[in-house]
């Protein structure tokens, strides 16, 4: 799919207004702040395209910042995979790779300043007690009995928390705001917790870690972010974002502004990182890059072109309310991109041998075939007495409108001759073993009967020259075409048992030999396929990317 033209949306309108008012004379500065606790998925791709794309369009900057504030769930593996995904999508952070852990000392100092201003306190309530004291949407919360500790006592306890004197869960630091606030986030938000856990970057230097609500706005401010673009679930957190920056004296005219947009929900796709991790850990998929996974690494291995994902994200736009996008729209973008760039070859997924009884034994000729209607080019395809055709292209008891091969019927072999089925050979059990046909030598291009018409054309592969390949056919992980419910923990029961079919004896024309992993083809009349990284010189593996049929027109 050609890169879509950039369209206006409410985020761009806000930025345009800020620029017109002269608010950001130094330029636009965004950030992409992933947590390194799993692999990125299609929803993150939308955020990547939005944040990096806005920075590019406004000739600004976009930082990559890892929100590494929860060491119990983070790993260097995820840090590496996230960077690979962003690069693969076509974006760069240049020298602006940061970590929340870069600012741990500054964040600690900011917390001390809040305590000194009487705006934070150490609380000894348990997590369950804090939840119980919080109140509800219709009832105000109840103040902690530790809320009115003196500044001196809070400073002492917080320093001792840092020194490691207290066990996990025994104390937290909370912002002191308003336990009767209509927004529950403002009811004395927890901003630090104790966690005696090894951090992948800071080692054992810290045993207290800032909460995301605390680290995120301050990291934005430290980096000079102008527009902090988040998904919609952070909308209720925005008042705390603004309260914190105000409380610490950041200028309202230059400090970051948080803007929320609707996250991407895709029909038939699981986009909860917790659920994706469970699929991997319980062995329901082969890994984070399983082509059935909606992870960026899974889509890359499936053969989705990065340009198609960028075009899809642009096409769906930026909304203020959540909705579900039909997965057919993503497939349309993928198919459109591949249709323009993937070379055509012939492949037979479920082979049946076909013998041309009147073709000279031992002879091979090479027929000219077009590589791509878009980019042109040609190749030579070997043709001989013994061929393979697809089992689905033959029917013994064919209905009237079956225009492929049948006993006594004729079809054209793509790029080759018209053939006629003369005999069907079966084994003792009645299974189809071989088709015996004759060919009309005058129907090849340039022959006397080259223009003779038949209603069916099928693909084929020379039996002598064919590559035997493993082909993996993928379907949706979920049986339902609806998107997964975040609150539904029984999603395992909804997994599609037919999400993967493996064919071990597919026959591919020899032009695909020794191609690199990631090379995509259109298998004529079958679909789009990509060479999988499992491929070796002796064993080629293809993944089906998408079929040829575009269903998006039916739902658009």
């Amino acid at each position: 799919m050609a890169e879509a033209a950039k369209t206006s949306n409410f985020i761009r309108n806000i930025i345009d207004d800020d620029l017109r008012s002269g608010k950001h004379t130094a330029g636009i500065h965004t950030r992409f702040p992933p947590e390194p606790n799993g692999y990125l998925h299609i929803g993150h791709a939308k955020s990547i395209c939005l944040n990096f794309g806005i920075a590019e369009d406004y000739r600004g900057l976009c930082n990559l910042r890892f929100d590494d504030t929860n060491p119990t769930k983070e790993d260097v593996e995820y840090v590496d995979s996230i960077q690979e995904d962003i690069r693969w999508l076509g974006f760069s952070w240049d020298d602006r790779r940061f970590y929340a852990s870069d600012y741990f000392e500054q964040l600690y100092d900011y917390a001390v300043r809040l305590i000194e201003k009487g705006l934070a306190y150490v609380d000894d309530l348990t997590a369950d007690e804090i939840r119980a004291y919080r109140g509800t949407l219709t009832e105000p919360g109840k103040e902690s009995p530790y809320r009115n500790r003196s500044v001196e006592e809070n400073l002492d306890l917080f320093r001792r928390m840092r020194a490691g004197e207290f066990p996990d869960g025994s104390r937290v630091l909370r912002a002191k705001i308003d336990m009767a606030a209509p927004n529950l986030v403002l009811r004395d938000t927890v901003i630090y917790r104790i966690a005696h856990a090894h951090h992948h970057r800071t080692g054992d230097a810290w045993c207290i870690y800032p909460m995301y609500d605390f680290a995120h706005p301050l990291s934005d401010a430290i980096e000079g972010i102008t527009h902090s673009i988040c998904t919609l679930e952070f909308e209720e957190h925005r008042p705390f974002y603004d309260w914190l920056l105000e409380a610490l004296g950041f200028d309202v005219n230059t400090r970051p502004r948080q803007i929320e947009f609707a996250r991407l929900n895709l029909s038939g796709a699981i986009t909860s990182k917790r659920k994706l991790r469970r699929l991997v850990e319980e062995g329901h998929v082969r890994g984070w890059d399983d082509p059935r996974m909606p992870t960026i690494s899974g889509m890359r291995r499936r053969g989705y072109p990065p340009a198609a994902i960028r075009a899809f994200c642009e096409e769906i736009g930026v909304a203020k309310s959540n909705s579900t996008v039909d997965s057919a729209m993503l497939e349309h973008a993928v198919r459109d991109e591949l249709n323009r760039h993937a070379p055509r070859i012939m492949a037979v997924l479920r082979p049946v041998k076909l013998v041309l009884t009147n073709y000279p034994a031992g002879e091979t000729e090479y027929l000219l075939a077009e590589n791509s209607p878009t980019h042109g080019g040609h190749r030579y395809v070997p043709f001989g007495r013994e061929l393979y055709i697809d089992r689905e292209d033959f029917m013994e008891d064919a209905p009237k409108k079956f225009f492929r091969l049948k006993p006594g019927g004729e079809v054209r072999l793509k790029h080759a001759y018209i053939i006629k089925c003369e005999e069907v050979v079966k084994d003792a059990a009645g299974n189809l073993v071989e088709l015996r046909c004759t060919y009309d030598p005058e129907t090849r291009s340039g022959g006397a009967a080259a223009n003779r018409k038949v209603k069916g054309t099928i693909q084929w592969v020379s039996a002598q020259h064919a590559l035997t390949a493993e082909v993996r056919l993928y379907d949706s992980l979920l049986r339902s075409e609806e998107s997964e419910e975040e609150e539904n923990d029984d999603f395992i029961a909804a997994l599609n048992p037919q999400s993967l079919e493996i064919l071990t004896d597919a026959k591919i024309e020899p032009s695909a030999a020794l191609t690199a992993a990631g090379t995509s083809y259109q298998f004529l009349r079958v679909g789009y396929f990509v060479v999988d990284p499992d491929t070796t010189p002796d064993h080629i593996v293809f993944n089906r990317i998408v079929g040829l049929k575009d269903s998006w027109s039916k739902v658009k």
Side-chain angles (χ1 to χ4, degrees):
M1 172 175 261
E3 291 281 354
K6 302 298 182 182
T7 55
S8 180
N9 56 59
F10 74 95
I11 296 177
R12 290 177 182 272
N13 292 340
I14 290 171
I15 294 173
D16 289 341
D17 288 343
D18 287 344
L19 290 173
R20 277 193 293 268
S21 70
K23 184 175 180 180
H24 299 297
T25 56
I28 300 304
H29 203 153
T30 62
R31 84 290 168 270
F32 176 63
E35 299 174 74
N37 61 357
Y39 282 59
L40 302 183
H41 55 65
I42 183 64
H44 296 108
K46 178 179 178 180
S47 184
I48 291 169
C49 291
L50 182 58
N51 279 287
F52 281 93
I54 282 176
E56 286 184 359
D57 293 344
Y58 287 91
R59 299 182 181 180
L61 303 174
C62 183
N63 295 356
L64 169 61
R65 181 175 70 240
F66 291 99
D67 172 40
D68 55 344
T69 56
N70 188 358
T72 60
K73 294 184 177 180
E74 297 161 1
D75 196 282
V76 175
E77 174 191 355
Y78 303 135
V79 172
D80 294 340
S81 73
I82 289 168
Q83 294 179 91
E84 182 180 4
D85 289 345
I86 297 171
R87 290 191 188 101
W88 178 74
L89 282 171
F91 298 106
S92 173
W93 55 90
D94 298 321
D95 60 348
R96 296 179 306 281
R97 183 186 65 189
F98 304 109
Y99 298 80
S101 55
D102 293 338
Y103 313 128
F104 276 177
E105 194 67 48
Q106 288 172 273
L107 297 176
Y108 177 83
D109 290 342
Y110 281 129
V112 169
R113 283 174 57 184
L114 286 179
I115 294 173
E116 291 172 341
K117 292 165 69 85
L119 296 176
Y121 63 97
V122 174
D123 195 357
D124 296 3
L125 293 180
T126 65
D128 289 340
E129 289 171 334
I130 289 174
R131 278 190 290 271
Y133 275 51
R134 192 183 188 197
T136 66
L137 291 172
T138 57
E139 297 179 355
K142 184 170 61 172
E143 291 187 357
S144 166
Y146 307 99
R147 193 175 194 266
N148 294 315
R149 279 173 161 157
S150 68
V151 169
E152 291 72 24
E153 185 179 6
N154 283 317
L155 287 172
D156 176 65
L157 288 171
F158 190 51
R159 289 169 181 145
R160 291 166 65 190
M161 285 170 60
R162 176 176 180 171
E165 291 188 25
F166 309 119
D168 293 359
S170 61
R171 286 185 166 91
V172 296
L173 184 68
R174 299 177 68 178
K176 192 174 185 179
I177 310 176
D178 182 2
M179 289 303 293
N183 185 328
L184 272 64
V185 174
L186 293 178
R187 295 183 185 177
D188 291 10
T189 307
V190 174
I191 57 176
Y192 263 91
R193 80 284 199 193
I194 300 172
H196 291 82
H198 184 81
H199 191 280
H200 70 99
R201 294 190 72 243
T202 61
D204 298 318
W206 292 87
C207 61
I208 58 171
Y209 291 94
M211 303 297 288
Y212 179 82
D213 276 352
F214 184 76
H216 176 222
L218 292 174
S219 298
D220 284 348
I222 291 168
E223 293 176 13
I225 302 304
T226 59
H227 298 85
S228 182
I229 303 170
C230 307
T231 45
L232 206 58
E233 61 264 33
F234 293 100
E235 184 175 26
E236 66 177 7
H237 297 252
R238 180 167 19 108
F240 179 75
Y241 186 105
D242 294 336
W243 177 91
L244 182 61
L245 296 181
E246 178 72 24
L248 289 169
F250 289 94
D251 187 345
V252 69
N253 296 310
T254 58
R255 71 190 188 205
R257 175 177 180 178
Q258 179 175 303
I259 308 170
E260 306 85 21
F261 69 99
R263 60 171 288 171
L264 171 58
N265 296 308
L266 195 65
S267 68
I270 298 170
T271 53
S272 160
K273 199 181 288 186
R274 173 179 59 84
K275 292 180 181 180
L276 293 175
R277 184 185 297 108
R278 183 178 170 190
L279 289 175
V280 173
E281 293 175 350
E282 294 182 4
H284 299 289
V285 294
R286 295 183 173 187
W288 286 98
D289 68 341
D290 188 301
R292 293 167 290 179
M293 294 276 274
T295 55
I296 296 175
S297 58
M299 292 186 291
R300 179 165 62 248
R301 187 165 185 171
R302 177 90 173 243
Y304 284 17
I309 296 175
R310 294 195 303 270
F312 166 70
C313 291
E314 182 66 26
E315 176 70 20
I316 62 177
V318 180
K320 292 184 179 182
S321 57
N322 286 323
S323 62
T324 298
V325 177
D326 196 301
S327 59
M329 191 175 178
L330 173 58
E331 292 182 358
H332 169 78
V334 170
R335 189 178 291 106
D336 190 62
E337 181 71 18
L338 291 170
N339 184 53
R340 294 187 300 113
H341 296 293
R344 276 61 165 162
I345 63 173
M346 292 190 289
V348 175
L349 302 192
R350 296 172 176 85
V352 171
K353 180 170 280 191
L354 183 151
V355 178
L356 299 174
T357 57
N358 64 332
Y359 193 90
E363 182 175 315
T364 298
E365 61 180 312
Y366 289 86
L367 306 179
L368 194 65
E370 185 182 52
N371 286 337
S372 168
T374 303
H375 299 289
H378 294 83
R379 70 193 185 282
Y380 286 97
V381 181
F383 183 90
R385 177 184 175 91
E386 295 186 355
L387 309 172
Y388 290 112
I389 67 168
D390 200 289
R391 180 68 182 82
E392 294 181 355
D393 283 334
F394 173 78
M395 186 176 291
E396 191 167 8
D397 298 314
K400 184 176 181 180
K401 293 190 176 181
F402 183 79
F403 298 125
R404 287 164 281 172
L405 196 59
K406 55 190 173 183
E410 290 184 317
V411 296
R412 177 176 289 279
L413 298 178
K414 182 71 174 175
H415 307 305
Y417 303 93
I418 292 174
I419 63 170
K420 181 178 181 180
C421 182
E422 308 285 1
E423 182 182 357
V424 179
V425 181
K426 298 181 179 180
D427 61 18
N431 299 312
L432 177 61
V433 173
E434 183 178 287
L435 299 174
R436 293 181 179 171
C437 303
T438 56
Y439 86 111
D440 182 349
E442 299 298 325
T443 56
R444 180 182 170 180
S445 177
N451 295 323
R452 183 157 73 85
K453 303 296 184 183
V454 291
K455 290 188 175 180
T457 300
I458 63 175
Q459 76 271 22
W460 53 274
V461 179
S462 168
Q464 178 184 350
H465 304 89
L467 303 174
T468 297
E470 176 182 319
V471 174
R472 299 167 183 172
L473 306 177
Y474 296 99
D475 201 350
S476 173
L477 266 176
L478 295 177
R479 285 178 295 187
S480 169
E481 281 303 310
E482 299 301 318
S483 62
E484 38 101 33
E485 295 292 335
E486 291 294 333
E487 65 273 13
N488 177 17
D489 285 323
D490 194 29
F491 75 102
I492 297 297
L495 294 179
N496 178 11
Q498 279 80 48
S499 63
L500 171 62
E501 180 184 4
I502 300 178
L503 307 176
T504 58
D505 194 37
K507 305 299 181 181
I508 315 293
E509 70 170 72
S511 62
L514 301 178
T515 49
T519 304
S520 301
Y521 295 97
Q522 184 194 109
F523 290 179
L524 289 178
R525 301 178 60 243
V526 179
Y528 295 96
F529 292 77
V530 67
V531 179
D532 186 81
D534 285 345
T535 292
T536 67
D538 300 321
H539 180 66
I540 189 169
V541 180
F542 282 96
N543 297 321
R544 181 171 63 188
I545 309 170
V546 288
L548 293 177
K549 186 178 181 181
D550 192 345
S551 60
W552 176 234
S553 59
K554 298 178 181 180
V555 297
K556 195 170 182 179

